[in-house]
Amino acid sequence: MEFLKTLGIEGINPGTSTGRKHHESKETISSFTPTNGDKIATVGVTTREQYDQVVEEAQKAYKVWSQMPAPQRGEIVRQIGQKLREYKEPLGKLVTYEMGKIYQEGLGEVQEMIDICDFAVGQSRMLYGKTMHSERPQHRMYEQWHPLGIVGIISAFNFPVAVWSWNAMIAAVCGNVMIWKGSEKTPLCGVAVQKIVAKVLKENNLPEGIFNLVTGDREVGEWMTEDERIPLISATGSIRMGKEVAKTVGGRLGKSILELGGNNAIIISEDADIEMAIRATVFGAVGTCGQRCTSTRRLIVQESVYDQVKDRLLSIYENISIGDPLDENTLVGPMIDQGAVDQMQNALKEIEKEGGKVITGGEPLDEDGFYVKPAIAEVENHYDIVQEETFAPILYLIKYKTLDEAIELHNGVKQGLSSAMFTLNMREAENFLSARGSDCGIANINIGTSGAEIGGAFGGEKETGGGRESGSDAWKAYMRRQTNTMNWGDSLPLAQGIDFDV
């Protein structure tokens, strides 16, 4: 395919930072497209020797990169954003072809990379500290922020390029260098992005070790989390994985940013604009075939409008176009692999076993690729299967009577990423956004759970991990704070009025 050639993807690709003289990897990962199961290409798995060489080169690059003024680092990030604009179409197609999300979403993911580059360029001139008044005469106090060093980024298959950029571009303007391990299910996306970024570094005579790529399974990720040379690990994935990362990184007193599971809900009030709520629900529930961390999993509906919402959803689900994600008429592409399809089928069986009812969809389609019909099920919030995050297009319908009950149901799961409420009632809206309302990191009124903008800090509470990436002041997570005191006088007064003469 032409877009693969444009991105420099070959039949066999190095999985460790391109342009390096590493020993050839004997082990490889094959990338398969979920659209029809065909093999796309192979990628070399990073060996331990290669990994250590990458870390060493990253350390060398850090000495150069961290000494550049932040606005100059921002200029390099600006050029990366410009290069991504040039490659937006082929990279968007690769995201679609390797991951399975529809082409519009693939393009949107690359646009998100471009947007975060633009944001980071501005941030490079706003790494602000504070000044404080000292209690001692002729003293000045202030704080400043310094880079950490190497930032390790472990990303998931569902956003194979965007989540890396949230971390990498902000961390870069802060003066850090990056080592990235993407998902073994989407390794070509990492290879393609590495090649794009390497062009910018080469054009500016900068060391390639500023941005680094390693490829492999859990073992490579464990090397990173155990490595004391990497002070910060930003990991996106399952709750189970996140707990292991937190334990390992915390055990060496390192820092971590965790973006883990979401079990996101929309509350639809009797005072909602129903059609608006339905549109947001469908996009959140079936977009990316239900494989977003912000996918809408639970729909908590006021009993007076429950049947109306249910009937409208059923009519839409009957006509959703499922198929080749590169076809512009498709709304739902495939799941990532057969394992994901099997997980969905197991969840549907568990729903029925616990007393729920699947009222539409769920069955795999009889064709090449990993296609399923999005499902809707009537359930109770306390079911074990509802309490879990099934990474699949299953939407749970739940009734409520009062607002207090709705909020209790909403918050009654262990995850706390994204949330939404549809209502035209100001009191309901303010209740949902108050301290007694949504307990999630993201809470929206009259928009869905998916589609966060890069300007806000992204992340969640409870078992979602508590991390924050992307906008607002998330940049502080990639830096260390330093408090400074400057004595410009000719005496040495002590704080708290302590008298200590010698």
Side-chain angles (χ1 to χ4, degrees):
M1 293 186 172
E2 191 61 35
F3 66 87
L4 295 175
K5 294 180 181 179
T6 302
L7 294 168
I9 301 297
E10 301 173 352
I12 301 175
N13 301 272
T16 308
S17 307
T18 55
R20 306 261 177 80
K21 293 182 179 179
H22 293 289
H23 296 290
E24 185 177 351
S25 300
K26 294 181 181 179
E27 187 180 350
T28 61
I29 292 174
S30 293
S31 176
F32 298 90
T33 174
T35 64
N36 57 22
D38 287 352
K39 179 179 174 180
I40 309 172
T42 62
V43 179
V45 173
T46 301
T47 66
R48 181 69 207 207
E49 185 178 5
Q50 289 174 330
Y51 170 80
D52 285 330
Q53 187 176 351
V54 166
V55 175
E56 290 170 8
E57 292 186 22
Q59 290 176 316
K60 293 176 184 176
Y62 175 68
K63 294 179 180 179
V64 176
W65 184 246
S66 62
Q67 293 305 304
M68 287 178 62
Q72 290 184 21
R73 298 193 294 256
E75 166 58 18
I76 302 304
V77 170
R78 185 195 68 79
Q79 292 179 36
I80 292 173
Q82 193 60 35
K83 194 72 72 175
L84 287 168
R85 285 178 170 89
E86 296 174 19
Y87 286 93
K88 179 178 178 179
E89 182 177 330
L91 185 56
K93 284 184 178 178
L94 176 60
V95 169
T96 292
Y97 194 56
E98 189 174 36
M99 185 272 147
K101 62 180 63 177
I102 62 173
Y103 183 43
Q104 282 300 310
E105 290 188 85
L107 289 174
E109 184 165 346
V110 181
Q111 185 60 50
E112 202 163 349
M113 301 175 77
I114 294 167
D115 291 345
I116 200 68
C117 285
D118 290 349
F119 183 93
V121 172
Q123 189 68 69
S124 69
R125 294 181 181 270
M126 296 186 294
L127 303 176
Y128 297 137
K130 294 181 179 179
T131 60
M132 288 80 68
H133 288 281
S134 174
E135 65 185 65
R136 290 167 285 186
Q138 297 182 314
H139 281 61
R140 179 168 67 90
M141 291 181 64
Y142 63 98
E143 68 178 23
Q144 58 182 335
W145 296 81
H146 296 301
L148 294 170
I150 301 175
V151 171
I153 303 169
I154 301 173
S155 61
F157 75 88
N158 59 334
F159 280 87
V161 293
V163 171
W164 166 81
S165 69
W166 293 356
N167 289 273
M169 296 304 106
I170 300 298
V173 298
C174 291
N176 302 287
V177 297
M178 276 55 65
I179 297 177
W180 176 26
K181 179 203 167 306
S183 170
E184 59 268 32
K185 296 181 180 182
T186 52
L188 296 175
C189 285
V191 171
V193 170
Q194 183 68 27
K195 286 177 177 288
I196 291 170
V197 173
K199 293 177 188 291
V200 175
L201 297 177
K202 185 176 181 180
E203 290 166 2
N204 288 273
N205 296 314
L206 287 169
E208 189 179 351
I210 296 168
F211 294 94
N212 303 274
L213 178 71
V214 293
T215 302
D217 56 17
R218 180 176 177 175
E219 182 181 35
V220 178
E222 289 174 348
W223 295 340
M224 294 172 66
T225 59
E226 295 168 356
D227 197 335
E228 293 185 355
R229 296 170 294 183
I230 304 179
L232 172 65
I233 296 288
S234 178
T236 303
S238 69
I239 292 170
R240 178 196 57 78
M241 180 273 280
K243 287 181 177 179
E244 290 299 316
V245 170
K247 181 179 178 181
T248 302
V249 177
R252 60 178 174 86
L253 297 182
K255 302 175 185 293
S256 60
I257 299 172
L258 300 176
E259 298 291 355
L260 311 177
N263 197 346
N264 316 294
I266 294 177
I267 297 174
I268 299 182
S269 161
E270 62 184 340
D271 293 326
D273 181 325
I274 299 298
E275 280 304 307
M276 203 169 159
I278 293 293
R279 289 181 60 192
T281 299
V282 173
F283 176 74
V286 308
T288 320
C289 204
Q291 297 170 113
R292 297 192 195 109
C293 53
T294 55
S295 288
T296 304
R297 313 238 175 251
R298 298 176 296 136
L299 194 63
I300 303 169
V301 187
Q302 213 285 328
E303 61 182 8
S304 66
V305 295
Y306 181 87
D307 288 338
Q308 180 186 354
V309 169
K310 172 183 169 181
D311 292 344
R312 186 76 180 95
L313 284 171
L314 287 172
S315 67
I316 292 173
Y317 269 55
E318 285 297 316
N319 297 297
I320 287 177
S321 57
I322 306 167
D324 183 355
L326 285 170
D327 185 336
E328 292 187 0
N329 295 316
T330 298
L331 289 179
V332 178
M335 301 194 75
I336 186 66
D337 56 24
Q338 186 60 47
V341 175
D342 293 343
Q343 184 184 43
M344 178 179 180
Q345 300 311 301
N346 292 335
L348 294 171
K349 291 175 184 177
E350 191 63 28
I351 290 167
E352 300 280 356
K353 183 179 177 181
E354 292 195 55
K357 182 180 180 182
V358 178
I359 58 176
T360 190
E363 58 270 26
L365 299 186
D366 186 19
E367 55 186 80
D368 292 337
F370 308 111
Y371 299 94
V372 296
K373 287 187 177 181
I376 300 176
E378 294 181 299
V379 300
E380 298 293 334
N381 198 65
H382 64 267
Y383 290 174
D384 289 342
I385 191 62
V386 177
Q387 291 289 310
E388 299 175 7
E389 179 193 38
T390 302
F391 228 50
I394 303 174
L395 178 64
Y396 299 122
L397 297 188
I398 304 166
K399 286 183 183 178
Y400 80 89
K401 292 182 180 180
T402 67
L403 178 60
D404 285 345
E405 181 189 2
I407 292 175
E408 184 177 351
L409 289 167
H410 176 278
N411 293 347
V413 294
K414 293 181 179 179
Q415 309 86 354
L417 180 52
S418 186
S419 61
M421 183 176 190
F422 277 80
T423 181
L424 301 178
N425 183 316
M426 183 185 72
R427 288 179 176 174
E428 286 187 332
E430 291 295 344
N431 261 292
F432 184 70
L433 299 179
S434 72
R436 66 176 293 277
S438 169
D439 62 1
C440 295
I442 299 168
N444 301 323
I445 297 294
N446 297 328
I447 63 170
T449 60
S450 289
E453 298 181 31
I454 57 92
F458 181 91
E461 300 301 320
K462 301 191 291 187
E463 289 196 352
T464 299
R468 292 297 185 273
E469 299 169 338
S470 193
S472 186
D473 65 349
W475 62 271
K476 293 180 179 179
Y478 306 95
M479 304 196 83
R480 59 181 177 88
R481 186 195 308 250
Q482 185 180 79
T483 300
N484 306 108
T485 305
M486 170 71 74
N487 179 356
W488 51 275
D490 57 5
S491 62
L492 191 66
L494 300 176
Q496 293 83 46
I498 294 174
D499 187 6
F500 188 77
D501 289 329
V502 290

